[in-house]
Amino acid sequence: MSAVVAKCYSAGTSRGKNEGTKQQLHEDLKTLLEKKSYLVLIDDVWSANMLENIINALPVNEDSRIIVTTRFHSVATTRREGDIRRVTGLDDKQSQTLFEQAFAESKGSKDVTIVWSEFSATTAKTEDGDGSVHSPSRQGSNSVNEGSKYATVPNEVWRMCGGLPLAIVTMAGHLACNPHKSLKVWSDVCSYLFPESGQDHRKELTQEEVGRIISYCYNDMPAEIKTCSLYLSIFPKGHRISRKRLTRRWIAEGFVCEKHGLSVEEVAETYCMVSLRRKIIRPVEHSSNGKVKKCIVHDMVLEHIVAKASEENFITVVGGNWLMQPPSSKVRRLSLQGSDSKRAKDTEKMNLSHVRSVTMFGSLNNQLPAHLFKYGIVQVLDLEGCTGFKKHHIVEICRMVLLKYLSLRRTDTKCLPNKIRRLKNLETLDIRETDIVGLPNPICQLERLVNILGGNKQTRKALKLPEELKKRKKMKALRILSGIEISGGSVDLHHLTELRKLAIYKLKTMGGTASFKDLISSIEYLGGYSLHTLVIDDESSEFIKSLDDLSYPPKFLIALELYGKMVKLPNWMKQLNVLNKLTLSVTALRTDNLKDLSKLEALFSLTFSFRAKEQDRQTLAMVAENKLYSNGKVTVPEGGFKSLKLMCLSGFLLPLLSFSRGAMPELERLELRYNMLEGLSGVENLAKLKEVHFTSDAKADEDTMTKDIVEEMGIALKINGKKSKIIVHQ
């Protein structure tokens, strides 16, 4: 039901939908919901007309209910027969608790490459009245209520937020990034924001007053972070923004430069983390290594950013949820979020002679301005997820000779022409999840390429390398080579000394070990330079077995993924002292291997998986042998795994797994996906376990095995006083 309702919601808000599409959605809803009781929640409606369109599309049923949330009184009173209820803010205790949690979260963030003080006013030391100098980074505790006066927060700071979570969290992030300010300064801030209230507790804030808090926190940010924040207006309301997509675009736009001896990638990562601490963006999805994978901007924060971007002619948004005035001067950055003919005509009238960045959402049909290509000065072209991609589009793109960033991800692109050689300035090429299966030889002439992102991580569809790259010492600037296929023959990558990530999605070897001798040598060589991430999916498993012969292990690896039939782990794996993420075949799930891996003190996540939908007899036999090797079960030893937070097991058959007392002392989340699960014991011994997730591929009504295991686990946890959540996905 939710998917169909979401489509209807989209139809009511997108001007590009034709009447035929709307009618089809109405019919789908009628078929799905008619003569049934339903509960529909429509969140954050901005328009009375939009609300009417949605409600009218739902079949009338007296036993059903529709709940609508809105910040606008005019929308709330659209239908007089409705029961209107005002949402009250948090009380004092709840407000203070939320403020302290948000403050501690921002203050205690460790995932920042560069200390925040290098980018903010905290670099300046502060003086007390007696002339003594204090460094903010050394003062007091992270607690809001402890430490010196520089760590003390007056109650007015969270009280003035009127119990509204957005205001509370935003102020908490702002305060955490300004630890040098004294108690008096914060009192003055409250008086400045709300001079008419004095020190009174504010029970309720208007939208304008919330906007005042957001505006103050935004204006306080360093210039670099402001610029990067304005860039967020490119994305539509509610869009889940990829962290890596965002940072790579910042780099291509020139917003980021090397600082303090750090690379542009590291500085961009820091800017992103600072934005998270400042609560400008908030995380909505994390990778298995604990890092933020996707983030989102709160609607009111985005509304403020869009207004600023329009005011400064920083970005021009066409379509979408925002009514942005047409630019009075030349367009610099263009974000096309609507695909109707009227918007297309408006775009055709714009002066695009100075456009340096173009981002599109939805369909390319009738949306991509024809005169955009003739100027050829675009540096960023992001068409991720766009439909309607035609052959002539890629030909026209090859005329954009100044392009630095090109994303065709999830478009229906089928190949790259030889004319790609014209893009001499290209730094990032993203062709993931497309039908492109090989790179043309002329791509090797693009010596500034830093990132080649191809293939499909889920299906393991891979990208064939051009022969030129294998033969000539070119493309030395490459830092990421992801989603590639290597099929027999000699592959010499020694010259790619800047390579940070090598992801081989398909590895086929022929003629024994000689066929991949150069690849083994390349990995050994690059491991001594800058290689941090290595992913290898080996169909034959022969290559993975040969990795044990490395003379010099890649000690600087942060992430390692090895797929294939393997039992014995490379001897050098226990020496990877900075390894944060490790993924292995489920055939390597053995007690002795777990004992060796427990010595990896930096390991955050550990995954055992098998990618095939159905495991063959050889794989099942190896899993069974592993179990027999350790007396019928796989045991997680006591101690070790000092930093492990996440453990995932995925396979057709998962053997009985037992956790010893004191095992994995920091583990918080355990995930299991299987068709058959033999058992799970000792979960109550995991001291900090918060969640256990079961995902069975068997039919729900036939999966008695999961029910029995969950019931037994629940009893064991209860007896031991544990409050871990057990979640079953079907």
Side-chain angles (χ1 to χ4, degrees), residues 397-441:
I397 288 171
C398 290
R399 298 174 187 168
M400 297 179 168
V401 294
L402 298 183
L403 265 185
K404 292 183 179 180
Y405 179 100
L406 174 60
S407 177
L408 304 176
R409 186 178 185 181
R410 289 202 305 275
T411 63
D412 40 7
T413 321
K414 292 180 172 55
C415 66
L416 293 177
N418 289 334
K419 291 182 179 179
I420 194 79
R421 63 177 178 270
R422 295 177 179 176
L423 307 183
K424 299 292 186 182
N425 295 286
L426 196 63
E427 295 175 358
T428 294
L429 175 63
D430 190 347
I431 49 176
R432 289 172 289 180
E433 301 169 64
T434 66
D435 290 330
I436 298 175
V437 295
L439 294 171
N441 277 325

Side-chain angles (χ1 to χ4, degrees), residues 245 248-249 252 379-382 403-407 428:
R245 179 186 185 185
R248 286 171 186 149
R249 290 190 52 156
Q379 297 180 29
V380 173
L381 181 61
D382 193 338
L403 265 185
K404 292 183 179 180
Y405 179 100
L406 174 60
S407 177
T428 294

Side-chain angles (χ1 to χ4, degrees), residues 86-132:
R86 278 189 95 84
V87 178
T88 58
L90 304 177
D91 59 29
D92 280 0
K93 185 177 181 181
Q94 292 171 326
S95 295
Q96 185 174 9
T97 300
L98 177 60
F99 186 90
E100 291 178 356
Q101 288 175 346
F103 179 91
E105 183 183 86
S106 291
K107 188 75 174 176
S109 176
K110 296 180 180 180
D111 194 9
V112 181
T113 310
I114 307 174
V115 179
W116 167 240
S117 60
E118 295 178 357
F119 292 98
S120 70
T122 57
T123 49
K125 295 181 179 180
T126 55
E127 294 189 9
D128 280 344
D130 59 2
S132 58

Side-chain angles (χ1 to χ4, degrees), residues 1-17:
M1 179 180 72
S2 59
V4 179
V5 173
K7 285 183 179 180
C8 181
Y9 181 92
S10 177
T13 57
S14 178
R15 302 177 180 85
K17 302 296 182 182

Side-chain angles (χ1 to χ4, degrees), residues 249-263:
R249 290 190 52 156
W250 283 345
I251 293 170
E253 290 275 9
F255 299 158
V256 182
C257 60
E258 294 182 359
K259 285 192 176 186
H260 309 287
L262 297 170
S263 67

Side-chain angles (χ1 to χ4, degrees), residues 8 26 71 80 100 127 175 186 212 349-350 358 385 450 483 647 699:
C8 181
H26 288 188
R71 69 188 72 169
R80 295 183 179 180
E100 291 178 356
E127 294 189 9
L175 185 139
W186 289 119
R212 198 184 301 174
K349 297 175 184 177
M350 292 181 182
V358 178
V450 175
M647 184 177 185
K699 294 181 180 179

Side-chain angles (χ1 to χ4, degrees), residues 498-518:
E498 295 294 319
L499 203 64
R500 302 287 197 274
K501 177 178 180 178
L502 175 62
I504 304 172
Y505 285 178
K506 186 178 291 185
L507 177 63
K508 295 180 180 178
T509 55
M510 295 174 286
T513 58
S515 62
F516 48 74
K517 182 178 179 181
D518 286 337

